[in-house]
Amino acid sequence: MANFARIQPTISAPHAGIPARLSAEPATRPLFCQKIPAGFPSPAADYTEKGLDLNTFMVQHKEASFFFKVVGMSLSGVGILDGDIVLVDHSVTAAHGHYVLAVIDGEYTLKRLYRQHGVVELHPENPAFKPIRLVEGNELQVWGVVTGVVRKLRV
């Protein structure tokens, strides 16, 4: 199945990401209350409203959430790119339309879950990849639901 986007854990333990509960202590950064338009320039306010801790902001179920490094471009159409870190919540029940970390016949992949009218497929968000339709004999395990994406921009 050549159209799998591979998921590479960011630690060496097999089939494991970095548990959110083991991530660093809160590192609150200033959060400016001024909204920043992405169009025309606007003067910024000179004050902050509150702090922002990304762990608190992103992680809803600390014991069941894990960070994984993405390898591949099958979800590039929704802004999940090669090298990004995804937050996957193992406790969320996957539903039609969710982006999931799935295991098909022992191979990991990130795709959008399609489950309608008795048909189960995993859809990419990149036209270069084809949907994966599950047929009798395929073993599917939905490991968790993608709940966040982190990207570090480099200049």
Side-chain angles (χ1 to χ4, degrees), residues 54-96:
L54 289 176
N55 291 314
T56 303
F57 176 72
M58 293 188 68
V59 179
Q60 198 168 27
H61 303 107
K62 201 170 188 179
E63 294 295 321
S65 296
F66 298 82
F67 294 100
F68 292 89
K69 185 172 185 176
V70 177
V71 179
M73 295 297 287
S74 73
L75 292 180
S76 62
V78 291
I80 300 175
L81 307 177
D82 185 68
D84 285 351
I85 303 294
V86 290
L87 177 62
V88 177
D89 191 328
H90 188 61
S91 70
V92 175
T93 301
H96 173 75

Side-chain angles (χ1 to χ4, degrees), residues 10 24 27 30-31 55 59-60 64 81 91 99-100 110 112 118 124 144 151 155:
T10 54
L31 174 63
N55 291 314
V59 179
Q60 198 168 27
L81 307 177
S91 70
Y99 293 97
V100 297
L110 276 182
R112 182 173 43 87
R151 175 176 307 124
V155 281

